């Protein structure tokens, strides 16, 4: 099973709605040296895995395996994007907390609703995967 620091793991979390690409030879985040605040690589974003809709210059501010990450990636459609993910122990196993701060370039109300629904989808996929 692909880990969540692998591109396959990331894409399993987002499918079927979106996928993210990586340069040839990059199977996971561990394949690219991490310099906090410097883009790891440009990732193509595809709707349904085939329709290009934009890109993300995947940029991590921090990555702590087993604990979480902070991502602040320039991307199509966003003036600003910050995604913080934290993993915490809980009575039932693990709690995943995503905190998003973003500023869409257009249609902020619609974009916010889409992102809220998309992250709900991601969380459902992760719950099913790790039960």
């Amino acid at each position: 099973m692909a880990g969540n620091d692998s591109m396959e793991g990331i894409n399993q979390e987002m499918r079927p709605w979106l996928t993210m690409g990586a340069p040839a030879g990059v199977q996971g985040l561990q394949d690219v040296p991490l310099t906090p605040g410097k883009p790891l690589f440009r990732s193509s974003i595809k709707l349904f895995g085939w329709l290009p809709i934009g890109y993300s210059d995947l940029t991590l501010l921090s990555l702590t395996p087993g604990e979480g990450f902070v991502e602040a990636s320039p991307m199509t459609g966003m003036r600003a994007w910050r995604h913080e993910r934290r993993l915490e122990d809980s009575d039932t196993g693990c709690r995943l907390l995503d905190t998003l701060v973003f500023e869409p370039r257009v249609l902020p109300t619609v974009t916010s609703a889409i992102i809220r629904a998309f992250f709900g989808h991601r969380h459902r996929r992760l719950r099913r995967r790790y039960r």
Side-chain angles (χ1 to χ4, degrees), residues 87-125:
L87 302 173
E88 298 178 351
D89 290 332
S90 76
D91 294 339
T92 58
C94 179
R95 179 178 301 125
L96 182 145
L97 304 166
D98 279 323
T99 304
L100 297 164
V101 178
F102 58 92
E103 183 182 348
R105 292 188 189 278
V106 297
L107 301 171
T109 303
V110 172
T111 302
S112 295
I114 290 169
I115 289 173
R116 190 171 28 261
F118 179 62
F119 271 79
H121 163 77
R122 291 176 76 167
H123 287 196
R124 286 187 299 278
R125 300 258 311 168

Side-chain angles (χ1 to χ4, degrees), residues 10-52:
I10 292 166
N11 284 321
Q12 284 178 4
E13 182 178 325
M14 298 193 313
R15 280 189 184 105
W17 304 112
L18 294 177
T19 58
M20 291 179 65
V26 175
Q27 300 295 311
L29 301 181
Q30 71 283 353
D31 294 339
V32 183
L34 172 63
T35 302
K38 180 181 176 201
L40 297 172
F41 53 84
R42 178 162 280 188
S43 177
S44 60
I45 300 172
K46 294 181 181 176
L47 185 64
F48 305 120
W50 62 270
L51 181 63

